[in-house]
Every structure is written in C-alpha cells, then in structure tokens.
Amino acid sequence: MYSEKVIDHFTNPRNVGEIANPSGVGEVGNAQCGDIMRVYLQIEDDVITDVKFKTFGCASAIASSSMATEMIKGKTVAEALELTNKAVANALDGLPPVKMHCSLLAEQAVKAAIKQYYDNNGIAYDTALFAKLGDDAHEHGDLVEE
C-alpha cells in the first residue's frame, strides 16, 4: 500500500522539531478530524536555510511533511512557493489516492509559513498564491514531535 519512501519518511522523518525565532510559521489542517501540520522556516537572504516541522496525523501526513521539508531546504522562497502536492507525492514514489490530501497539507503548510514571512517583513505578494490555505480535510493518526 505504501512505497518504501513513504515508510522511510514515516519511520525516520527528517527535520522534525521547531525553530527558535523562525522567519515564518505555517499551520494548517483540520482540528475536527485531527490532522495538523506546522512548518517552521528560517530564511536568510531569500534562502530557506533551515526548515522544521511538527505533524499530528497519519503516516502519509508525516511522510509528506518530512519530504516537503527536504524538498525546500536550501531553496529560495520563490522556488519553495513552486512546491506542489503532486511533486511531494511523486518524490515519495506515490501515495494512495485516499491519502493525496496529506501531500496537499504539506504544500499548504509551506505556503502558510512563507505567507507569514512575507506579512512579518512587509513583502508584497499576490494574494491568489495563498487563497486556498486551510481548505483541507483529513483523517487522524500519529503524532510526531521532538
């Protein structure tokens, strides 16, 4: 059912934790069903120098969080904004169709963190980039923390 990459990123998630004094934090999810993802970004000179996450959710949500953080670390903010849920799912060698929403949560959390970074620093942006944040629904699962 799950690819080896999904299992690996679930059992050995990368970049778990928090960043003290982050440049931006994005939290998305659906508290009613239990999945919540929080992404912390450290941005210097428009480059994501560090990224951490905490996710309360199923194996697919945790694996998607882990993979998304790996995909944007060291990238520019503009490159990170190009992250899509399909790219996350593909990097994990696929997700079951009923779990694709987990990769969407990862995309939205990254974008929410970037939006907060923009807002905190008075950086102008196209609001359409962030129009769908928080429109996700999820199943519940395991908690990954430090």
Side-chain angles (χ1 to χ4, degrees):
M1 179 165 155
Y2 290 116
S3 72
E4 286 184 28
K5 283 187 182 179
V6 170
I7 293 168
D8 180 41
H9 277 268
F10 170 63
T11 57
N12 303 294
R14 285 67 152 176
N15 306 306
V16 175
E18 297 179 24
I19 295 175
N21 303 310
S23 303
V25 179
E27 183 175 307
V28 296
N30 185 322
Q32 284 186 325
C33 62
D35 278 3
I36 300 171
M37 185 181 297
R38 186 177 298 147
V39 170
Y40 302 81
L41 300 177
Q42 189 62 49
I43 300 170
E44 296 172 22
D45 298 322
D46 201 44
V47 174
I48 298 169
T49 57
D50 197 10
V51 57
K52 302 280 187 203
F53 79 92
K54 284 191 170 184
T55 293
F56 181 89
C58 63
S60 294
I62 293 163
S64 293
S65 303
S66 176
M67 181 57 80
T69 62
E70 287 287 280
M71 293 174 75
I72 66 168
K73 195 172 195 174
K75 303 287 187 189
T76 65
V77 173
E79 289 170 327
L81 276 172
E82 294 176 6
L83 181 76
T84 65
N85 70 304
K86 289 178 183 165
V88 172
N90 288 340
L92 289 168
D93 292 336
L95 289 170
V98 298
K99 295 295 183 178
M100 281 299 290
H101 62 274
C102 296
S103 61
L104 180 60
L105 189 65
E107 174 191 339
Q108 290 177 335
V110 167
K111 289 181 177 175
I114 292 170
K115 181 182 183 304
Q116 187 185 71
Y117 165 71
Y118 283 167
D119 289 342
N120 289 346
N121 291 283
I123 299 170
Y125 57 85
D126 180 357
T127 56
L129 289 172
F130 307 105
K132 295 196 181 244
L133 294 180
D135 290 348
D136 205 49
H138 266 63
E139 298 173 23
H140 63 288
D142 303 307
L143 178 64
V144 168
E145 288 207 25
E146 296 177 276

